[in-house]
Amino acid sequence: MLQKAMYAVPMLRASAALTLVFLVAALAQWEGVPSDPSSVAGGGDGRGDGMREIVRKERLPYRSRQKRAWIWNSYYVTEESEMISPKKIGKLKSSKTADGTTFKLRGDGANSIFTVNRNGDLFVIKTLDREEKSMYNLTALLYDGRDQLVEDAGEFVVQVNDINDHIPVFPRTYNGSILERSGIGAKVVQVMATDADDPSTVHAELRYSLRPEGERSAFEINIITGMITSRVDTLDREDKSQYVLVVQAKDMRGMTTGTTATTSVTVTITDINDNMASFTQDTYDLSVPENQMLEEKIGTLTLDDRDEIQNNEPVFTILPNLSSQFALSRSPQKDGHLMLKKALDYETKSSYSFIVNVHENSLQFPADNKDVSITKARVNIRVLDVDEPPVFSKPSYAFNVMEEEMATNIGIVSATDPDQANKAMRYSVEDQECPVGVNPVTGQLFILRKLDRELRTTHIFQVRAQEEPSGLHSLVRVNISVQDKNDNAPELVWDDIFVCENDMAGTVIGRLSATDRDEQVASFHYSLVNPSDNFTITK
């Protein structure tokens, strides 16, 4: 065994030397250097000299990329292929293949999805799905019979070929909108489907169309982009406010062999103001009581407008101009509310008749209903008579009465019935303690007891006028001013007066004053009741 081993070593060395010579010769040819050892510098003709020169050159610090010895084509596997047994997809080849060499794999799916036999036959052993993984990166290695690496890594790729095994998918249903009367080609909404097949193949190239089971007469779709547009310019929300389309997406560029998916698209027609406000009748008859409160609705002029309420903008005009008596305003429902601005009086005017016009300023097109709309209506108002309370001739009364006198004719308060019945009046004083009375038939005021201006200067009370026999009544205020007369004597006012026994004649020893409760400004005259020789008083 030792001898065989010793014999084997020179053989290996010789083999290595031959391999080295081959490689150096190949390198020389690659770089343009003569491959004949005899032509190498040094002029030696012996093989030993040439080999030494080659070995020397091999040790120079010159580096060159060694050409790979692997030989193969690209490998492909069709997805979803049924794998009853391993399927050969190609063959690994190397110029260094010899008896006893074997191939091994490393990388994506090595030995679990892909296998190789000793001859380099490459097999796939599982069904592949391109949508899960479309490419496998593998490395081939060549080993000799002693499991020594003969050729280092050779990288290659197995690509999974796509088949049309996925149908298009719409992510949802769609909703779109378009203004009525939009032009041809107006955009509505864009739909988009996806296909999990290879996007670089026709398997994932989609074409869109509108299915006949949808309401497609007014719309069309771009077969490539899926944009839905209007194909007419006569969309009318008032005739049809919503359309439901059925969109189909088909792969294989729409060919008959393609697979399909559908989705629904609900298209809402958006309203514009293209209908004129119209009265629902050409005559409106209203009855209004004469005591109707001002600034309150007395009637409604109903309108018909097929547009949505936010697009209703009616404007009213009263002819002839009765704007001081009546007014029209828009109700929340966009009808016309007739309002009373000035009080009615049945006895003065019992009826009104006038024309009301309606129009809209914001119409965007000639109105759809321009030939049938009622834009002018007559309003007839009948004023209803109301039993009104008596009306006094004045809003209040004021009289003067001399104090301390029993006046029998202070003045007259007068009220009438404003109604056509013109009922008789009966008068009375509301305050039972009042010193003034009233004639119940004539309204004449008189004094019940004498008045004293110094006790009370003014008397205010209310007089009631009531329709006979027991009808409505009204009250009016009466103000009685008591007039003054000189009916009060002056009253002296003084302080204590003292006199000294030695006061000279003419000395002022005190001052007297007087007051008078009467209203008039008084001038007083002073005198001594009993003349005296010792005292005097100035007048």
Side-chain angles (χ1 to χ4, degrees):
M1 290 295 291
L2 180 60
Q3 289 178 350
K4 290 182 179 180
M6 292 177 63
Y7 174 76
V9 170
M11 290 295 291
L12 290 171
R13 289 179 178 174
S15 176
L18 288 174
T19 302
L20 182 60
V21 169
F22 172 76
L23 291 174
V24 172
L27 178 61
Q29 290 177 350
W30 186 268
E31 298 296 334
V33 179
S35 59
D36 185 357
S38 64
S39 66
V40 178
D45 58 352
R47 294 178 63 84
D49 292 338
M51 180 63 67
R52 286 193 298 272
E53 183 64 17
I54 288 171
V55 172
R56 185 181 63 82
K57 286 181 176 290
E58 176 68 16
R59 291 176 179 175
L60 290 175
Y62 179 86
R63 295 182 180 273
S64 175
R65 183 175 63 84
Q66 183 176 349
K67 296 175 70 177
R68 296 284 186 189
W70 295 104
I71 303 170
W72 54 56
N73 296 320
S74 299
Y75 300 117
Y76 298 90
V77 178
T78 300
E79 66 169 333
E80 304 298 341
S81 297
E82 186 177 1
M83 293 298 165
I84 300 176
S85 61
K87 182 177 181 180
K88 182 179 177 179
I89 60 174
K91 187 176 183 66
L92 303 180
K93 296 179 181 180
S94 173
S95 60
K96 294 186 179 182
T97 304
D99 291 341
T101 56
T102 58
F103 294 92
K104 292 184 179 181
L105 295 178
R106 188 172 62 198
D108 298 339
N111 305 315
S112 60
I113 298 176
F114 303 99
T115 61
V116 63
N117 63 15
R118 295 178 63 85
N119 297 325
D121 294 328
L122 184 61
F123 295 90
V124 59
I125 62 175
K126 288 185 177 181
T127 299
L128 303 182
D129 187 349
R130 188 204 67 82
E131 287 70 43
E132 291 183 3
K133 191 171 180 65
S134 62
M135 185 180 296
Y136 294 82
N137 295 300
L138 294 164
T139 302
L141 303 100
L142 183 63
Y143 290 85
D144 61 17
R146 294 182 300 276
D147 205 25
Q148 298 296 315
L149 184 64
V150 175
E151 174 65 3
D152 59 358
E155 297 177 354
F156 66 97
V157 173
V158 177
Q159 296 187 26
V160 182
N161 287 336
D162 186 50
I163 65 171
N164 191 17
D165 60 339
H166 287 80
I167 66 172
V169 175
F170 283 103
R172 57 184 173 87
T173 58
Y174 290 82
N175 293 288
S177 63
I178 183 173
L179 288 174
E180 61 177 329
R181 293 199 178 195
S182 292
I184 296 174
K187 294 180 179 180
V188 179
V189 67
Q190 185 176 22
V191 300
M192 186 174 294
T194 58
D195 193 315
D197 290 321
D198 188 349
S200 64
T201 68
V202 295
H203 301 157
E205 287 194 40
L206 304 181
R207 296 296 183 266
Y208 299 95
S209 62
L210 296 178
R211 296 288 302 162
E213 54 265 32
E215 302 168 293
R216 64 180 184 176
S217 60
F219 302 93
E220 58 189 4
I221 189 169
N222 186 294
I223 63 172
I224 304 296
T225 65
M227 176 60 73
I228 298 174
T229 56
S230 171
R231 61 180 298 182
V232 298
D233 59 1
T234 56
L235 292 171
D236 190 345
R237 187 201 67 84
E238 289 72 43
D239 289 339
K240 189 173 180 60
S241 62
Q242 191 175 85
Y243 293 79
V244 178
L245 311 178
V246 179
V247 178
Q248 174 181 281
K250 191 173 189 178
D251 59 19
M252 297 295 289
R253 295 177 183 167
M255 294 186 292
T256 56
T257 56
T259 60
T260 63
T262 59
T263 188
S264 65
V265 179
T266 302
V267 180
T268 300
I269 309 303
T270 305
D271 186 53
I272 62 173
N273 189 8
D274 62 345
N275 283 272
M276 185 182 300
S278 173
F279 290 113
T280 57
Q281 56 198 74
D282 54 12
T283 302
Y284 294 86
D285 294 315
L286 304 174
S287 296
V288 183
E290 63 176 330
N291 61 348
Q292 172 68 43
M293 298 292 291
L294 301 183
E295 303 300 332
E296 289 188 358
K297 180 185 73 172
I298 61 175
T300 299
L301 309 186
T302 54
L303 296 176
D304 179 26
D305 193 328
R306 298 180 65 199
D307 293 322
E308 292 183 341
I309 193 167
Q310 70 271 14
N311 291 322
N312 298 348
E313 298 295 336
V315 179
F316 302 96
T317 306
I318 297 177
L319 299 174
N321 187 8
L322 291 175
S323 58
S324 61
Q325 185 76 50
F326 304 100
L328 273 163
S329 62
R330 280 199 299 259
S331 72
Q333 293 74 33
K334 302 300 178 71
D335 293 319
H337 277 179
L338 188 62
M339 315 289 288
L340 183 64
K341 296 181 64 177
K342 185 178 179 180
L344 300 174
D345 186 358
Y346 171 83
E347 287 71 31
T348 302
K349 189 175 179 63
S350 61
S351 65
Y352 297 84
S353 182
F354 52 88
I355 298 295
V356 176
N357 285 342
V358 64
H359 69 279
E360 292 191 66
N361 295 326
S362 57
L363 285 172
Q364 299 183 23
F365 292 91
D368 288 342
N369 61 337
K370 58 183 175 62
D371 296 328
V372 297
S373 61
I374 303 174
T375 59
K376 181 183 295 186
R378 177 168 291 280
V379 179
N380 298 317
I381 296 179
R382 182 167 65 95
V383 181
L384 301 178
D385 187 24
V386 176
D387 188 10
E388 298 174 271
V391 177
F392 282 95
S393 61
K394 295 181 181 180
S396 64
Y397 293 87
F399 301 103
N400 296 323
V401 175
M402 185 65 68
E403 66 173 332
E404 301 299 339
E405 293 183 3
M406 293 295 293
T408 58
N409 187 11
I410 300 174
I412 295 177
V413 295
S414 176
T416 58
D417 181 3
D419 301 318
Q420 284 187 332
N422 195 20
K423 297 178 181 179
M425 296 293 117
R426 186 169 188 84
Y427 302 95
S428 61
V429 175
E430 289 289 283
D431 185 2
Q432 299 298 322
E433 301 298 324
C434 181
V436 179
V438 62
N439 187 300
V441 176
T442 63
Q444 180 171 304
L445 300 174
F446 55 88
I447 296 298
L448 295 174
R449 56 181 179 271
K450 291 182 179 180
L451 305 180
D452 187 348
R453 192 202 66 83
E454 286 73 38
L455 295 178
R456 187 171 179 177
T457 60
T458 302
H459 294 267
I460 299 174
F461 54 93
Q462 288 183 317
V463 173
R464 174 194 291 258
Q466 185 170 13
E467 298 174 355
E468 292 279 25
S470 58
L472 299 177
H473 72 274
S474 296
L475 298 174
V476 71
R477 190 180 73 170
V478 178
N479 189 331
I480 301 294
S481 294
V482 182
Q483 303 297 303
D484 186 49
K485 65 185 299 186
N486 191 10
D487 60 343
N488 286 280
E491 297 178 0
L492 287 173
V493 179
W494 68 90
D495 295 326
D496 292 337
I497 297 175
F498 299 94
V499 61
C500 295
E501 60 182 346
N502 56 354
D503 282 342
M504 299 291 294
T507 300
V508 176
I509 60 175
R511 185 176 298 277
L512 300 177
S513 62
T515 60
D516 193 324
R517 296 174 61 192
D518 293 322
E519 184 179 15
Q520 296 90 349
V521 177
S523 59
F524 300 104
H525 176 79
Y526 298 92
S527 63
L528 294 175
V529 175
N530 298 311
S532 173
D533 296 333
N534 297 319
F535 302 97
T536 60
I537 187 172
T538 59
K539 295 182 179 181

